[in-house]
Amino acid sequence: AQSVTQLDSQVPVFEEAPVELRCNYSSSVSVYLFWYVQYPNQGLQLLLKYLSGSTLVKGINGFEAEFNKSQTSFHLRKPSVHISDTAEYFCAAPRRGSYIPTFGRGTSLIVHP
Amino acid sequence: KAGVTQTPRYLIKTRGQQVTLSCSPISGHRSVSWYQQTPGQGLQFLFEYFSETQRNKGNFPGRFSGRQFSNSRSEMNVSTLELGDSALYLCASSEAGGAYEQYFGPGTRLTVT
């Protein structure tokens, strides 16, 4: 099984609508969870991270994610998306016994006007 | 602080040639990791250097190598290029690896013809 699974390869949504990008992790990874965003022709930028503490994590650009241990999930949400949010989003976590992050396959968020 | 810089941004090489890519981390960051990103395989970890020593290595053939200098700048080298080496190569730096977030450069787009 994949260590970090992003359930949707593509998510189309209209501008100003809410969005949720799904991420599930397996027991083979440590519970240090990250979401990165990659805009076209750019590198990855950290959106938010969960290391411990509050299960609701707020990040940049109005994004937030909720760590759910029972569901082994770390879904990313935004209440109202903009055209500029169109990008590739990656969920990541390090394998147990390592600190090197394993990345999900990515979810392409496409925001339509 | 200046971000992570990578040079060159684009490269076109021929099969059988070799290539060297360069990465300058954020000032004060001692850990540099390299990733290969392709549409088919996603983001795959190549190796990590910390204080001039390779600390972790992914599952890539020996044609892929790297090094880190005393100023934390890093280079990666790919010898005997194959068509399948065409990819975006991303460099990421962090203060000390571990659970700390990584800061990515814009990448070098390598095309092998």
Side-chain angles (χ1 to χ4, degrees), chain A:
Chain A
Q2 270 191 300
S3 306
V4 177
T5 303
Q6 292 184 243
L7 297 160
D8 306 295
S9 60
Q10 205 172 80
V11 173
V13 65
F14 286 106
E15 195 173 18
E16 296 183 10
V19 70
E20 178 179 82
L21 306 184
R22 298 181 292 168
C23 173
N24 285 88
Y25 62 92
S26 74
S27 58
S28 67
V29 301
S30 299
V31 192
Y32 296 127
L33 301 161
F34 302 83
W35 274 100
Y36 288 88
V37 60
Q38 184 178 33
Y39 299 104
N41 298 317
Q42 294 187 29
L44 278 69
Q45 179 184 5
L46 181 70
L47 270 178
L48 48 80
K49 63 186 177 188
Y50 172 81
L51 301 181
S52 65
S54 174
T55 57
L56 184 63
V57 181
K58 293 192 182 298
I60 62 171
N61 301 342
F63 283 94
E64 64 180 32
E66 185 159 17
F67 169 63
N68 188 318
K69 188 175 180 180
S70 62
Q71 302 287 326
T72 62
S73 67
F74 190 56
H75 300 335
L76 181 71
R77 302 187 184 100
K78 187 170 183 177
S80 176
V81 295
H82 301 129
I83 296 286
S84 58
D85 291 323
T86 295
E88 193 81 12
Y89 292 79
F90 294 92
C91 183
R95 287 188 180 276
R96 287 191 185 278
S98 168
Y99 53 82
I100 301 300
T102 298
F103 288 85
R105 294 305 299 269
T107 297
S108 179
L109 175 63
I110 302 167
V111 182
H112 297 286

Side-chain angles (χ1 to χ4, degrees), chain B residues 43-63:
Chain B
L43 272 156
Q44 292 188 288
F45 171 73
L46 280 155
F47 30 66
E48 183 220 5
Y49 285 86
F50 182 83
S51 293
E52 301 180 64
T53 300
Q54 187 181 87
R55 193 160 64 167
N56 286 283
K57 189 177 188 306
N59 295 323
F60 277 81
R63 299 186 297 107

